[in-house]
Amino acid sequence: MTSTIATGVARAGRREWAGLAMLALPSILLSLDVTLLHLAVPHLGAALAPSSTQMLWIIDIYAFMIAGFLVTAGTLGDRIGRRKLLLIGAVAFGVASVIAAYANSPEMLIAARALLGIAGATLMPSTLALISNMFQDPKQRGTAIGIWAASFSVGIALGPVVGGAMLQAFWWGSVFLIAVPVMVLLLITGPILLPEYKDENAGRIDLASVLLSLAAILPVIYGVKEIAKHGIEPASVIAIIVGAAFGYAFGRRQLRLDDPMLDLSLFRSRAFSVALGVMLFAAVAMGGIYLFVTQYLQMVADLSPLRAGLWLLPAAAALIATSMLAPIAARRIRPGNVTAIGLTLSAIGYFILTQADPSKSVALVVVGFGFIYAGIGPVMGLSVSLIVGSAPPEKAGAAAALQQTSSDFGLAVGIAALGSIGTTMYRNGVVDDLPADTPAAAADATRDTLALALDATSSLPGPLADQIITPAREAFASGLNVVALIGGVLVTALTVLAVTMLRHVPPTGSAPAPAEDTDVPAPVAADGPLEEQLAAAAR
Protein backbone atom coordinates (compact mmCIF):
# COMPACT_ATOMS: atom_id res chain seq x y z
CA MET A 1 0.00 0.00 0.00
CA THR A 2 1.04 3.62 -0.42
CA SER A 3 1.68 6.23 2.26
CA THR A 4 1.50 10.01 2.12
CA ILE A 5 4.23 12.39 3.25
CA ALA A 6 3.77 15.91 4.57
CA THR A 7 3.76 17.46 1.10
CA GLY A 8 0.78 15.35 0.09
CA VAL A 9 2.75 13.29 -2.42
CA ALA A 10 1.86 9.60 -2.19
CA ARG A 11 4.82 7.35 -1.43
CA ALA A 12 4.97 3.92 -2.99
CA GLY A 13 4.50 0.89 -0.76
CA ARG A 14 5.27 -2.79 -1.02
CA ARG A 15 2.76 -3.39 -3.80
CA GLU A 16 4.37 -0.76 -6.01
CA TRP A 17 7.88 -2.10 -5.43
CA ALA A 18 6.69 -5.63 -6.15
CA GLY A 19 5.06 -4.26 -9.29
CA LEU A 20 8.37 -2.67 -10.28
CA ALA A 21 10.01 -6.09 -10.05
CA MET A 22 7.42 -7.43 -12.47
CA LEU A 23 7.90 -4.46 -14.84
CA ALA A 24 11.63 -5.12 -14.87
CA LEU A 25 11.06 -8.61 -16.27
CA PRO A 26 9.96 -7.49 -19.78
CA SER A 27 12.89 -5.05 -19.85
CA ILE A 28 15.35 -7.81 -18.96
CA LEU A 29 13.73 -10.12 -21.47
CA LEU A 30 13.83 -7.69 -24.40
CA SER A 31 17.53 -6.93 -23.92
CA LEU A 32 18.16 -10.63 -23.31
CA ASP A 33 16.45 -11.45 -26.60
CA VAL A 34 18.89 -9.33 -28.61
CA THR A 35 22.02 -10.83 -27.05
CA LEU A 36 20.65 -14.38 -27.28
CA LEU A 37 20.03 -14.09 -30.99
CA HIS A 38 23.53 -12.79 -31.70
CA LEU A 39 24.99 -15.84 -29.95
CA ALA A 40 22.63 -18.13 -31.86
CA VAL A 41 23.63 -16.77 -35.29
CA PRO A 42 26.22 -19.49 -36.08
CA HIS A 43 23.80 -22.22 -34.96
CA LEU A 44 20.71 -21.06 -36.81
CA GLY A 45 22.96 -20.33 -39.79
CA ALA A 46 23.95 -23.99 -39.88
CA ALA A 47 20.39 -25.23 -39.25
CA LEU A 48 18.38 -23.02 -41.62
CA ALA A 49 21.15 -22.04 -44.09
CA PRO A 50 19.90 -18.46 -44.62
CA SER A 51 21.62 -16.23 -47.16
CA SER A 52 23.59 -13.26 -45.86
CA THR A 53 20.64 -10.98 -46.68
CA GLN A 54 18.20 -13.26 -44.87
CA MET A 55 20.53 -13.42 -41.88
CA LEU A 56 20.58 -9.64 -41.60
CA TRP A 57 16.77 -9.55 -41.80
CA ILE A 58 16.51 -12.24 -39.12
CA ILE A 59 18.68 -10.12 -36.84
CA ASP A 60 17.37 -6.63 -37.48
CA ILE A 61 13.67 -7.04 -38.41
CA TYR A 62 12.88 -7.32 -34.69
CA ALA A 63 14.39 -3.95 -33.85
CA PHE A 64 12.93 -2.37 -37.01
CA MET A 65 9.40 -3.40 -36.04
CA ILE A 66 9.89 -2.16 -32.48
CA ALA A 67 11.16 1.17 -33.78
CA GLY A 68 8.29 1.43 -36.26
CA PHE A 69 5.49 0.68 -33.78
CA LEU A 70 6.80 2.19 -30.52
CA VAL A 71 5.27 5.64 -30.95
CA THR A 72 1.95 4.10 -31.94
CA ALA A 73 2.05 1.72 -28.99
CA GLY A 74 2.98 4.46 -26.51
CA THR A 75 0.12 6.64 -27.65
CA LEU A 76 -2.27 3.68 -27.70
CA GLY A 77 -1.36 2.84 -24.10
CA ASP A 78 -2.12 6.40 -23.01
CA ARG A 79 -5.61 5.94 -24.49
CA ILE A 80 -6.75 2.35 -23.82
CA GLY A 81 -4.79 1.79 -20.62
CA ARG A 82 -1.12 1.04 -20.07
CA ARG A 83 -1.66 -2.16 -18.09
CA LYS A 84 -4.13 -3.48 -20.65
CA LEU A 85 -1.67 -2.85 -23.48
CA LEU A 86 1.15 -4.46 -21.49
CA LEU A 87 -0.86 -7.66 -20.94
CA ILE A 88 -1.99 -7.82 -24.57
CA GLY A 89 1.63 -7.46 -25.63
CA ALA A 90 2.69 -10.21 -23.22
CA VAL A 91 0.29 -12.69 -24.84
CA ALA A 92 1.46 -11.76 -28.34
CA PHE A 93 5.13 -11.95 -27.37
CA GLY A 94 4.74 -15.40 -25.85
CA VAL A 95 2.94 -16.79 -28.92
CA ALA A 96 5.45 -15.26 -31.35
CA SER A 97 8.34 -16.70 -29.29
CA VAL A 98 6.98 -20.23 -29.73
CA ILE A 99 6.60 -19.69 -33.48
CA ALA A 100 10.21 -18.44 -33.70
CA ALA A 101 11.55 -21.36 -31.68
CA TYR A 102 10.10 -23.91 -34.07
CA ALA A 103 10.65 -22.03 -37.34
CA ASN A 104 11.78 -24.40 -40.10
CA SER A 105 12.83 -21.86 -42.71
CA PRO A 106 14.51 -18.43 -42.82
CA GLU A 107 11.28 -16.86 -44.08
CA MET A 108 9.27 -18.27 -41.17
CA LEU A 109 11.84 -17.03 -38.66
CA ILE A 110 11.88 -13.56 -40.22
CA ALA A 111 8.07 -13.40 -39.97
CA ALA A 112 8.14 -14.59 -36.35
CA ARG A 113 10.81 -12.01 -35.49
CA ALA A 114 8.65 -9.30 -37.06
CA LEU A 115 5.72 -10.35 -34.85
CA LEU A 116 8.04 -10.33 -31.82
CA GLY A 117 9.04 -6.77 -32.67
CA ILE A 118 5.45 -5.56 -32.89
CA ALA A 119 4.62 -7.27 -29.59
CA GLY A 120 7.79 -5.88 -27.99
CA ALA A 121 6.75 -2.38 -29.01
CA THR A 122 3.71 -2.68 -26.75
CA LEU A 123 5.79 -3.73 -23.75
CA MET A 124 8.46 -1.05 -23.47
CA PRO A 125 6.50 2.24 -23.29
CA SER A 126 3.91 0.60 -21.06
CA THR A 127 6.48 -0.39 -18.41
CA LEU A 128 8.15 3.01 -18.15
CA ALA A 129 4.86 4.92 -18.27
CA LEU A 130 3.40 2.77 -15.48
CA ILE A 131 6.47 3.48 -13.34
CA SER A 132 5.87 7.22 -13.69
CA ASN A 133 2.34 6.70 -12.34
CA MET A 134 3.20 4.23 -9.56
CA PHE A 135 6.04 6.31 -8.08
CA GLN A 136 4.86 9.89 -7.51
CA ASP A 137 7.49 10.80 -4.91
CA PRO A 138 10.45 12.28 -6.88
CA LYS A 139 13.13 10.42 -4.94
CA GLN A 140 11.33 7.10 -5.20
CA ARG A 141 10.64 7.71 -8.86
CA GLY A 142 14.33 8.38 -9.52
CA THR A 143 15.28 5.14 -7.79
CA ALA A 144 12.62 3.21 -9.67
CA ILE A 145 13.70 4.58 -13.06
CA GLY A 146 17.31 3.75 -12.19
CA ILE A 147 16.34 0.15 -11.42
CA TRP A 148 14.31 -0.02 -14.63
CA ALA A 149 17.23 1.28 -16.71
CA ALA A 150 19.64 -1.12 -15.00
CA SER A 151 17.34 -4.03 -15.87
CA PHE A 152 18.40 -3.67 -19.50
CA SER A 153 22.00 -4.07 -18.40
CA VAL A 154 21.07 -7.15 -16.39
CA GLY A 155 19.54 -8.68 -19.50
CA ILE A 156 22.65 -7.91 -21.49
CA ALA A 157 24.79 -9.45 -18.75
CA LEU A 158 22.70 -12.60 -18.46
CA GLY A 159 22.24 -13.04 -22.20
CA PRO A 160 25.69 -14.42 -23.08
CA VAL A 161 25.80 -16.84 -20.14
CA VAL A 162 22.19 -18.05 -20.35
CA GLY A 163 22.32 -18.20 -24.12
CA GLY A 164 25.67 -19.95 -24.18
CA ALA A 165 24.48 -22.59 -21.72
CA MET A 166 21.23 -23.20 -23.60
CA LEU A 167 22.90 -23.40 -26.99
CA GLN A 168 25.35 -25.92 -25.62
CA ALA A 169 22.57 -28.07 -24.13
CA PHE A 170 19.69 -27.58 -26.60
CA TRP A 171 18.96 -26.47 -30.16
CA TRP A 172 19.09 -22.86 -31.34
CA GLY A 173 15.31 -22.36 -31.05
CA SER A 174 15.45 -22.88 -27.28
CA VAL A 175 16.69 -19.32 -26.78
CA PHE A 176 13.27 -17.99 -27.82
CA LEU A 177 11.36 -20.17 -25.34
CA ILE A 178 12.84 -18.30 -22.36
CA ALA A 179 10.18 -15.64 -22.97
CA VAL A 180 7.23 -17.98 -22.44
CA PRO A 181 7.40 -18.50 -18.63
CA VAL A 182 8.23 -14.81 -18.12
CA MET A 183 5.15 -13.73 -20.07
CA VAL A 184 2.97 -16.24 -18.19
CA LEU A 185 4.21 -14.84 -14.86
CA LEU A 186 3.49 -11.30 -16.02
CA LEU A 187 -0.04 -12.26 -17.06
CA ILE A 188 -0.72 -13.80 -13.64
CA THR A 189 0.75 -11.07 -11.43
CA GLY A 190 0.13 -8.00 -13.60
CA PRO A 191 -3.58 -7.57 -12.81
CA ILE A 192 -2.79 -7.91 -9.09
CA LEU A 193 0.30 -5.71 -8.72
CA LEU A 194 -0.01 -3.13 -11.49
CA PRO A 195 -2.50 -0.24 -11.48
CA GLU A 196 -4.35 0.78 -14.60
CA TYR A 197 -3.76 4.27 -15.97
CA LYS A 198 -4.90 6.08 -19.08
CA ASP A 199 -5.38 9.66 -20.14
CA GLU A 200 -9.10 10.22 -19.64
CA ASN A 201 -8.98 13.39 -21.73
CA ALA A 202 -7.26 11.82 -24.72
CA GLY A 203 -9.15 11.58 -27.96
CA ARG A 204 -9.31 8.62 -30.28
CA ILE A 205 -6.07 7.48 -31.83
CA ASP A 206 -5.61 8.99 -35.28
CA LEU A 207 -5.33 6.10 -37.76
CA ALA A 208 -3.91 8.38 -40.45
CA SER A 209 -1.05 9.34 -38.11
CA VAL A 210 -0.31 5.67 -37.43
CA LEU A 211 -0.11 4.90 -41.14
CA LEU A 212 1.99 8.00 -41.84
CA SER A 213 4.48 7.11 -39.09
CA LEU A 214 4.96 3.61 -40.48
CA ALA A 215 5.19 4.95 -44.03
CA ALA A 216 7.92 7.33 -42.85
CA ILE A 217 10.05 4.92 -40.80
CA LEU A 218 10.04 1.70 -42.82
CA PRO A 219 11.10 3.09 -46.25
CA VAL A 220 13.94 5.03 -44.63
CA ILE A 221 15.13 1.88 -42.89
CA TYR A 222 14.97 -0.06 -46.15
CA GLY A 223 16.85 2.63 -48.05
CA VAL A 224 19.65 2.88 -45.48
CA LYS A 225 19.99 -0.90 -45.40
CA GLU A 226 20.20 -1.20 -49.19
CA ILE A 227 22.68 1.67 -49.59
CA ALA A 228 24.96 0.10 -46.99
CA LYS A 229 24.74 -3.22 -48.78
CA HIS A 230 24.84 -2.29 -52.48
CA GLY A 231 25.88 1.35 -52.54
CA ILE A 232 23.80 4.26 -53.80
CA GLU A 233 21.15 2.99 -56.21
CA PRO A 234 17.99 4.70 -57.50
CA ALA A 235 15.59 2.41 -55.60
CA SER A 236 17.34 3.07 -52.28
CA VAL A 237 17.42 6.83 -52.75
CA ILE A 238 13.76 6.87 -53.78
CA ALA A 239 12.82 4.86 -50.67
CA ILE A 240 14.54 7.38 -48.40
CA ILE A 241 12.94 10.33 -50.20
CA VAL A 242 9.51 8.71 -49.95
CA GLY A 243 10.02 8.02 -46.24
CA ALA A 244 11.16 11.59 -45.64
CA ALA A 245 8.11 12.93 -47.48
CA PHE A 246 5.77 10.83 -45.34
CA GLY A 247 7.70 11.97 -42.26
CA TYR A 248 7.11 15.60 -43.22
CA ALA A 249 3.42 14.88 -43.75
CA PHE A 250 3.29 13.15 -40.37
CA GLY A 251 4.85 16.15 -38.64
CA ARG A 252 2.49 18.59 -40.34
CA ARG A 253 -0.51 16.51 -39.30
CA GLN A 254 0.63 16.41 -35.66
CA LEU A 255 0.82 20.20 -35.59
CA ARG A 256 -2.75 20.49 -36.84
CA LEU A 257 -4.34 17.95 -34.51
CA ASP A 258 -5.80 19.04 -31.17
CA ASP A 259 -4.72 15.71 -29.67
CA PRO A 260 -1.67 14.61 -31.69
CA MET A 261 -0.28 11.11 -31.70
CA LEU A 262 3.19 12.61 -31.12
CA ASP A 263 3.44 15.88 -29.19
CA LEU A 264 6.17 17.72 -31.09
CA SER A 265 6.36 20.40 -28.39
CA LEU A 266 8.51 17.94 -26.42
CA PHE A 267 11.37 18.65 -28.84
CA ARG A 268 11.48 22.29 -27.71
CA SER A 269 13.60 21.13 -24.79
CA ARG A 270 17.25 21.10 -25.82
CA ALA A 271 18.06 18.45 -23.22
CA PHE A 272 15.26 16.23 -24.56
CA SER A 273 16.35 16.56 -28.19
CA VAL A 274 20.09 16.18 -27.59
CA ALA A 275 19.60 13.20 -25.28
CA LEU A 276 17.52 11.50 -27.96
CA GLY A 277 20.16 12.23 -30.59
CA VAL A 278 23.03 10.93 -28.48
CA MET A 279 21.11 7.74 -27.71
CA LEU A 280 20.26 7.23 -31.36
CA PHE A 281 23.78 7.47 -32.76
CA ALA A 282 25.46 5.72 -29.83
CA ALA A 283 23.07 2.84 -30.50
CA VAL A 284 24.03 2.87 -34.20
CA ALA A 285 27.66 2.28 -33.27
CA MET A 286 26.74 -0.30 -30.63
CA GLY A 287 24.48 -2.31 -32.95
CA GLY A 288 27.22 -2.77 -35.52
CA ILE A 289 30.03 -3.65 -33.14
CA TYR A 290 28.04 -6.10 -31.01
CA LEU A 291 27.05 -8.07 -34.11
CA PHE A 292 30.71 -8.54 -35.06
CA VAL A 293 32.21 -9.09 -31.61
CA THR A 294 29.86 -11.95 -30.70
CA GLN A 295 30.54 -13.67 -34.02
CA TYR A 296 34.28 -13.01 -33.75
CA LEU A 297 34.52 -14.79 -30.42
CA GLN A 298 32.76 -17.89 -31.76
CA MET A 299 33.86 -18.09 -35.39
CA VAL A 300 37.32 -16.48 -35.35
CA ALA A 301 38.49 -17.20 -31.78
CA ASP A 302 36.68 -20.59 -32.02
CA LEU A 303 35.04 -20.35 -28.59
CA SER A 304 31.93 -22.29 -27.62
CA PRO A 305 28.77 -20.22 -27.04
CA LEU A 306 29.14 -20.64 -23.27
CA ARG A 307 32.82 -19.62 -23.24
CA ALA A 308 32.04 -16.67 -25.50
CA GLY A 309 29.31 -15.62 -23.08
CA LEU A 310 31.66 -15.87 -20.12
CA TRP A 311 34.26 -13.73 -21.91
CA LEU A 312 31.58 -11.05 -22.36
CA LEU A 313 30.63 -10.98 -18.67
CA PRO A 314 33.24 -8.37 -17.63
CA ALA A 315 31.89 -5.94 -20.22
CA ALA A 316 28.31 -6.53 -19.07
CA ALA A 317 29.32 -6.01 -15.43
CA ALA A 318 30.98 -2.71 -16.38
CA LEU A 319 27.78 -1.65 -18.14
CA ILE A 320 25.65 -2.37 -15.07
CA ALA A 321 28.08 -0.53 -12.77
CA THR A 322 28.40 2.63 -14.87
CA SER A 323 24.67 2.84 -15.65
CA MET A 324 23.97 2.79 -11.90
CA LEU A 325 26.84 5.14 -10.94
CA ALA A 326 26.15 7.76 -13.61
CA PRO A 327 23.04 9.25 -11.91
CA ILE A 328 24.99 9.48 -8.64
CA ALA A 329 27.88 11.27 -10.38
CA ALA A 330 25.40 13.62 -12.07
CA ARG A 331 24.43 15.02 -8.65
CA ARG A 332 27.77 16.85 -8.57
CA ILE A 333 28.90 16.85 -12.20
CA ARG A 334 26.88 18.21 -15.08
CA PRO A 335 25.01 15.38 -16.85
CA GLY A 336 26.48 16.47 -20.17
CA ASN A 337 30.00 16.04 -18.81
CA VAL A 338 29.19 12.66 -17.27
CA THR A 339 27.81 11.53 -20.62
CA ALA A 340 30.89 12.87 -22.42
CA ILE A 341 33.23 10.98 -20.08
CA GLY A 342 31.33 7.79 -20.83
CA LEU A 343 31.43 8.39 -24.57
CA THR A 344 35.19 8.98 -24.35
CA LEU A 345 35.62 5.58 -22.72
CA SER A 346 33.54 4.03 -25.50
CA ALA A 347 35.66 5.73 -28.17
CA ILE A 348 38.80 4.25 -26.62
CA GLY A 349 37.19 0.81 -26.80
CA TYR A 350 36.25 1.20 -30.46
CA PHE A 351 39.76 2.24 -31.40
CA ILE A 352 41.19 -0.74 -29.49
CA LEU A 353 39.02 -3.04 -31.60
CA THR A 354 40.52 -1.60 -34.79
CA GLN A 355 43.60 -3.66 -33.87
CA ALA A 356 41.77 -7.00 -33.50
CA ASP A 357 43.38 -9.80 -35.49
CA PRO A 358 43.14 -13.63 -35.45
CA SER A 359 46.82 -13.80 -34.53
CA LYS A 360 46.29 -11.73 -31.37
CA SER A 361 44.85 -12.76 -28.03
CA VAL A 362 41.10 -12.70 -27.57
CA ALA A 363 41.77 -10.55 -24.49
CA LEU A 364 42.31 -7.53 -26.77
CA VAL A 365 38.75 -7.86 -28.09
CA VAL A 366 37.37 -8.38 -24.58
CA VAL A 367 39.18 -5.30 -23.22
CA GLY A 368 38.06 -3.12 -26.12
CA PHE A 369 34.47 -4.28 -25.79
CA GLY A 370 34.65 -3.70 -22.03
CA PHE A 371 35.58 -0.04 -22.60
CA ILE A 372 32.66 0.33 -25.02
CA TYR A 373 30.17 -1.09 -22.55
CA ALA A 374 31.55 0.88 -19.61
CA GLY A 375 31.18 4.06 -21.61
CA ILE A 376 27.65 3.44 -22.83
CA GLY A 377 26.43 3.00 -19.25
CA PRO A 378 26.19 6.74 -18.46
CA VAL A 379 24.21 7.32 -21.65
CA MET A 380 21.71 4.66 -20.57
CA GLY A 381 21.74 5.78 -16.94
CA LEU A 382 20.93 9.43 -17.59
CA SER A 383 18.87 9.46 -20.76
CA VAL A 384 15.63 8.15 -19.26
CA SER A 385 15.36 10.96 -16.71
CA LEU A 386 16.38 13.58 -19.26
CA ILE A 387 13.82 12.42 -21.80
CA VAL A 388 10.84 11.15 -19.80
CA GLY A 389 11.28 13.82 -17.12
CA SER A 390 10.46 16.52 -19.68
CA ALA A 391 6.97 15.17 -20.28
CA PRO A 392 3.79 15.62 -18.20
CA PRO A 393 2.32 12.41 -16.69
CA GLU A 394 -0.41 12.09 -19.30
CA LYS A 395 2.26 12.09 -22.05
CA ALA A 396 4.59 9.68 -20.28
CA GLY A 397 3.74 6.85 -22.65
CA ALA A 398 4.59 8.89 -25.74
CA ALA A 399 7.84 10.18 -24.20
CA ALA A 400 8.84 6.68 -23.14
CA ALA A 401 8.12 5.48 -26.66
CA LEU A 402 10.38 8.16 -28.15
CA GLN A 403 13.16 7.26 -25.73
CA GLN A 404 12.98 3.60 -26.66
CA THR A 405 12.49 4.36 -30.36
CA SER A 406 15.76 6.28 -30.54
CA SER A 407 17.63 3.37 -28.97
CA ASP A 408 15.99 0.58 -30.95
CA PHE A 409 16.02 2.44 -34.25
CA GLY A 410 19.70 3.18 -33.75
CA LEU A 411 20.50 -0.46 -33.00
CA ALA A 412 18.58 -1.54 -36.09
CA VAL A 413 20.34 0.96 -38.35
CA GLY A 414 23.70 0.00 -36.85
CA ILE A 415 23.12 -3.69 -37.49
CA ALA A 416 21.90 -3.01 -41.02
CA ALA A 417 24.34 -0.31 -42.12
CA LEU A 418 27.52 -1.23 -40.24
CA GLY A 419 26.72 -4.93 -40.54
CA SER A 420 26.45 -4.58 -44.30
CA ILE A 421 29.68 -2.54 -44.49
CA GLY A 422 31.52 -5.17 -42.45
CA THR A 423 30.09 -7.96 -44.62
CA THR A 424 31.23 -6.13 -47.75
CA MET A 425 34.74 -5.83 -46.31
CA TYR A 426 34.69 -9.56 -45.55
CA ARG A 427 33.67 -10.49 -49.08
CA ASN A 428 36.20 -8.17 -50.71
CA GLY A 429 38.94 -9.58 -48.47
CA VAL A 430 38.22 -13.24 -49.05
CA VAL A 431 37.39 -13.28 -52.76
CA ASP A 432 40.98 -13.56 -54.07
CA ASP A 433 42.51 -15.62 -51.26
CA LEU A 434 40.84 -18.99 -51.76
CA PRO A 435 42.97 -21.97 -52.90
CA ALA A 436 42.63 -22.92 -56.55
CA ASP A 437 41.33 -26.41 -55.70
CA THR A 438 38.48 -25.14 -53.49
CA PRO A 439 35.22 -26.93 -54.42
CA ALA A 440 32.72 -24.58 -56.07
CA ALA A 441 30.07 -25.03 -53.36
CA ALA A 442 32.59 -24.28 -50.58
CA ALA A 443 33.91 -21.26 -52.50
CA ASP A 444 30.42 -19.80 -52.93
CA ALA A 445 29.61 -20.34 -49.26
CA THR A 446 32.88 -18.76 -48.13
CA ARG A 447 32.29 -15.69 -50.30
CA ASP A 448 28.90 -15.22 -48.65
CA THR A 449 29.50 -15.39 -44.86
CA LEU A 450 32.02 -16.84 -42.44
CA ALA A 451 29.28 -18.94 -40.81
CA LEU A 452 28.53 -20.63 -44.13
CA ALA A 453 32.25 -21.05 -44.78
CA LEU A 454 32.74 -22.93 -41.51
CA ASP A 455 29.79 -25.18 -42.28
CA ALA A 456 30.86 -25.84 -45.89
CA THR A 457 34.46 -26.73 -44.97
CA SER A 458 33.57 -29.06 -42.10
CA SER A 459 33.54 -32.05 -44.46
CA LEU A 460 36.70 -31.12 -46.39
CA PRO A 461 40.19 -32.52 -45.70
CA GLY A 462 41.88 -30.73 -42.80
CA PRO A 463 44.72 -28.99 -44.73
CA LEU A 464 42.36 -27.69 -47.44
CA ALA A 465 39.81 -26.55 -44.88
CA ASP A 466 42.51 -24.61 -43.02
CA GLN A 467 43.64 -22.91 -46.24
CA ILE A 468 40.08 -21.71 -46.79
CA ILE A 469 39.15 -20.77 -43.23
CA THR A 470 42.36 -18.90 -42.36
CA PRO A 471 41.93 -16.10 -44.96
CA ALA A 472 38.19 -16.08 -44.25
CA ARG A 473 38.83 -15.38 -40.57
CA GLU A 474 41.36 -12.69 -41.45
CA ALA A 475 38.81 -11.05 -43.77
CA PHE A 476 36.16 -11.14 -41.04
CA ALA A 477 38.60 -9.47 -38.63
CA SER A 478 39.16 -6.75 -41.23
CA GLY A 479 35.41 -6.16 -41.35
CA LEU A 480 35.38 -5.84 -37.55
CA ASN A 481 38.26 -3.33 -37.74
CA VAL A 482 36.40 -1.10 -40.19
CA VAL A 483 33.15 -1.21 -38.19
CA ALA A 484 35.10 -0.33 -35.02
CA LEU A 485 36.79 2.61 -36.75
CA ILE A 486 33.45 4.01 -37.92
CA GLY A 487 32.03 3.54 -34.42
CA GLY A 488 35.00 5.30 -32.83
CA VAL A 489 34.71 8.33 -35.09
CA LEU A 490 30.95 8.54 -34.54
CA VAL A 491 31.20 8.29 -30.75
CA THR A 492 33.97 10.91 -30.67
CA ALA A 493 31.64 13.32 -32.47
CA LEU A 494 28.90 12.54 -29.94
CA THR A 495 31.31 13.40 -27.11
CA VAL A 496 31.72 16.90 -28.49
CA LEU A 497 27.94 17.21 -28.94
CA ALA A 498 27.24 16.20 -25.33
CA VAL A 499 29.76 18.64 -23.88
CA THR A 500 28.61 21.61 -25.94
CA MET A 501 24.84 21.10 -26.19
CA LEU A 502 24.14 19.82 -22.66
CA ARG A 503 26.32 22.35 -20.85
CA HIS A 504 23.19 24.26 -19.71
CA VAL A 505 21.94 21.29 -17.67
CA PRO A 506 23.18 21.68 -14.07
CA PRO A 507 24.15 18.85 -11.72
CA THR A 508 21.02 17.24 -10.33
CA GLY A 509 22.07 17.88 -6.74
CA SER A 510 22.60 21.61 -7.13
CA ALA A 511 20.22 24.53 -6.99
CA PRO A 512 18.61 25.57 -10.26
CA ALA A 513 21.01 27.44 -12.48
CA PRO A 514 20.38 31.13 -13.27
CA ALA A 515 18.53 31.92 -16.45
CA GLU A 516 20.63 31.47 -19.55
CA ASP A 517 20.15 33.16 -22.89
CA THR A 518 18.88 30.54 -25.27
CA ASP A 519 16.55 30.33 -28.18
CA VAL A 520 15.23 27.00 -26.97
CA PRO A 521 11.80 27.26 -25.30
CA ALA A 522 11.30 25.80 -21.87
CA PRO A 523 10.36 22.14 -21.78
CA VAL A 524 6.98 20.91 -20.67
CA ALA A 525 6.61 21.19 -16.92
CA ALA A 526 7.30 18.04 -14.93
CA ASP A 527 7.83 17.16 -11.31
CA GLY A 528 11.00 15.89 -9.68
CA PRO A 529 14.31 17.62 -8.85
CA LEU A 530 16.06 16.80 -12.13
CA GLU A 531 13.09 17.87 -14.21
CA GLU A 532 12.72 21.18 -12.35
CA GLN A 533 16.39 21.97 -12.93
CA LEU A 534 16.13 21.09 -16.60
CA ALA A 535 13.18 23.44 -16.97
CA ALA A 536 14.98 26.24 -15.13
CA ALA A 537 18.14 25.78 -17.17
CA ALA A 538 16.32 25.83 -20.49
CA ARG A 539 14.20 28.92 -19.74
Side-chain angles (χ1 to χ4, degrees), residues 377-393:
V379 178
M380 294 177 61
L382 296 176
S383 63
V384 176
S385 291
L386 287 170
I387 295 169
V388 179
S390 299

Side-chain angles (χ1 to χ4, degrees), residues 488-499:
V489 172
L490 179 58
V491 170
T492 299
L494 292 178
T495 304
V496 177
L497 178 67
V499 169

